Amino acid sequence: GAAAWEALRGRLREPVPPERAVARFPAGGGAEQEGASREAVARCEAEGVPCLLDGAMETGWDLEELAYESLLARFGEVPWRLSDVHGELLTLLEFDEYVGTTRDDAPLGIYESQFHRDPTGIISNWYSSPQTHGGEPLFSSDLFALSRSWRRPPWRWVLIGAERSGTGMHVDPIYTSAWVALVAGLKRWVMFPPDTEPVGEHGGPAGPREAPLARDSEPQLEAVHWFMEHYAAVGSPEWPGAPPVEILQRPGEVVYVPQGWHHIVVNLETSVAVTHNWASELGQFELMWRETCRDESHFARAFFRALRRERPDLARRAIAAAVPPGGLPPWDAAPSPDSSEPSSPADSSDSDSS
C-alpha cells in the first residue's frame, strides 16, 4: 500500500552504505584530473566494474530543453512509446495526465527509442556522450556505430518515469555496456555481478553467488514490486547472497553499467534520463560478438562487414570466436579486393544462403 511504499521510499533515499557504493569520478577539475578520470573509466570498462560520473553532463548538454516541462510544452501532442516490444503509444500530454492521476502500484514509463525522427529528432542535438569539461569522451567509442545503424537494434532511449515506475531486474541485450544520464528526478539502483544466479528453489537462505533474479520461465517483477518484496533482505548488512552494488543517482550524474551486470532501477521522483547502449572493445569483445550472432544475426552480418572494412584487427577476433549454436554465421559477404581485410570461413567455400 501507499504507507509501505512511503516507508520504503524513505529508506531508498538514504545514502548508499560505503561498502556497497561505486567509485565516483569527476568530469572536471582541470586537465590532470580529467585525464585521471578518463583512465579510471577505461579501467572500469576493461574490468567490468560499475562507476558513477559527476559533472559529465555539463559539456554538450542542454538540460533546459531536456527538462520534463520543456519536453511537455514542445512535444505534448507527439505520441511516445511505452515499450520497444509492445508498441503502445501515449502523447506526452496524455502521459502527464496519467502521471498526475494514477494510483497504479507500478506506473507506466516512457521508453522512446525513435526520437531520431521528426518532430523529436532535434533531441539528438541536446545531449552528447558524457565528456570531460575539456570536451574529451569519457567512454570508449561505439563499435556498433561502424555499421552506420544498418539493422542495428534499439540502442538509445529517452526515459520518462513517474515515482514508483522503473525497470525490472535485467541484463542489457547482446552483452552491451550502457550509460544512463539523469536529467531530473532521483533513481535507486541495485546491481549484481554477471556470475550471479537466481536464488535456489530450496527455500533456504541465498547462497554466496545467488540473488532474487527472475528465472527464464518466470515473468519479470516490476521494479517497485521487487523492491517491496526483496529489498529488506538484499539491503540488510546480513544479506548472505551475492554482494550487491547500490547507487542513489541524482540529476547531473551518469551511471556506467558494465557488460553482463544484472540491474534494477526504481524512480523515487518523476525522472527524465537519456541512456545509450554501446559495444566497447575494452571489455569482453568475444562474448558480445557471440551474443550478437545468436540474438541479432542480421545485424551481426552488417556489423562484421563494418569491422572488416574499418577494424580488420577486430574482424579477425570475431572470426576466431566460435559462433554459438543456433546463431547464423555472418560470413555472407565476400572480402573486398583489399588484401588487408581478413578472410572468413565462407570466403573459401560456399557462402551462407540464408
Side-chain angles (χ1 to χ4, degrees):
W5 162 248
E6 284 303 321
L8 175 62
R9 180 171 175 262
R11 184 179 178 191
L12 296 177
R13 293 174 68 96
E14 295 175 359
V16 173
E19 65 273 13
R20 296 182 173 209
V22 298
R24 289 174 170 263
F25 304 116
E32 184 175 352
Q33 176 61 66
E34 292 172 17
S37 292
R38 293 186 69 206
E39 292 177 2
V41 172
R43 285 195 299 273
C44 287
E45 282 193 52
E47 298 171 7
V49 179
C51 65
L52 190 67
L53 304 179
D54 288 319
M57 299 168 62
E58 296 183 17
T59 303
W61 288 73
D62 191 331
L63 299 178
E64 290 186 5
E65 292 285 9
L66 288 168
Y68 179 61
E69 294 77 11
S70 297
L71 295 174
L72 186 63
R74 186 158 188 163
F75 304 119
E77 301 288 350
V78 177
W80 293 65
R81 285 170 174 75
L82 303 181
S83 167
D84 285 318
V85 178
H86 305 296
E88 292 93 343
L89 300 173
L90 282 181
T91 69
L92 210 50
L93 286 171
E94 292 169 336
F95 178 77
D96 186 63
E97 181 180 0
Y98 165 78
V99 168
T101 58
T102 184
R103 295 188 178 182
D104 291 352
D105 287 343
L108 299 169
I110 285 174
Y111 294 79
E112 180 56 79
S113 63
Q114 303 300 311
F115 59 88
H116 57 284
R117 301 172 179 172
D118 289 336
T120 54
I122 193 172
I123 292 175
S124 299
N125 298 331
W126 296 342
Y127 75 93
S128 67
S129 182
Q131 303 174 40
T132 67
H133 292 184
E136 295 294 328
L138 281 158
F139 294 114
S140 64
S141 60
D142 181 6
L143 294 175
F144 282 169
L146 297 175
S147 70
R148 303 187 178 103
S149 297
W150 177 250
R151 293 185 180 272
R152 183 174 183 173
W155 55 279
R156 60 178 187 168
W157 293 264
V158 173
L159 310 176
I160 306 175
E163 179 187 325
R164 300 190 311 281
S165 67
T167 305
M169 186 70 73
H170 69 288
V171 174
D172 285 344
I174 55 177
Y175 225 70
T176 50
S177 306
W179 56 259
V180 181
L182 188 59
V183 175
L186 193 65
K187 292 178 178 285
R188 186 74 172 210
W189 295 65
V190 174
M191 306 174 70
F192 292 99
D195 62 354
T196 306
E197 298 289 341
V199 173
E201 299 177 355
H202 48 70
R209 289 190 176 180
E210 294 182 339
L213 312 177
R215 297 178 179 277
D216 291 341
S217 59
E218 298 173 345
Q220 183 189 75
L221 272 181
E222 296 286 353
V224 66
H225 295 155
W226 188 96
F227 276 92
M228 295 287 284
E229 292 184 22
H230 299 298
Y231 188 74
V234 171
S236 168
E238 288 75 38
W239 167 247
V245 166
E246 295 190 52
I247 298 170
L248 182 63
Q249 187 182 15
R250 298 177 175 86
E253 296 177 339
V254 178
V255 171
Y256 166 60
V257 183
Q259 296 170 306
W261 276 69
H262 307 267
H263 54 286
I264 187 168
V265 191
V266 67
N267 292 313
L268 305 179
E269 302 172 359
T270 298
S271 300
V272 177
V274 177
T275 181
H276 273 212
N277 283 63
W278 88 100
S280 167
E281 69 177 283
L282 298 182
Q284 299 187 58
F285 173 84
E286 282 74 13
L287 270 177
M288 179 272 294
W289 169 243
R290 292 186 189 113
E291 290 210 5
T292 303
C293 289
R294 183 190 68 196
D295 297 338
E296 297 289 346
S297 59
H298 293 297
F299 172 66
R301 298 168 189 267
F303 179 45
F304 177 73
R305 288 196 293 268
L307 288 179
R308 191 161 52 184
R309 182 180 63 247
E310 304 287 346
R311 291 293 306 270
D313 57 323
L314 293 178
R316 292 186 184 94
R317 288 174 61 182
I319 291 171
V323 176
L328 294 176
W331 326 117
D332 63 320
S336 73
D338 183 355
S339 60
S340 67
E341 290 191 341
S343 62
S344 68
D347 294 335
S348 57
S349 62
D350 292 339
S351 62
D352 175 51
S353 61
S354 59

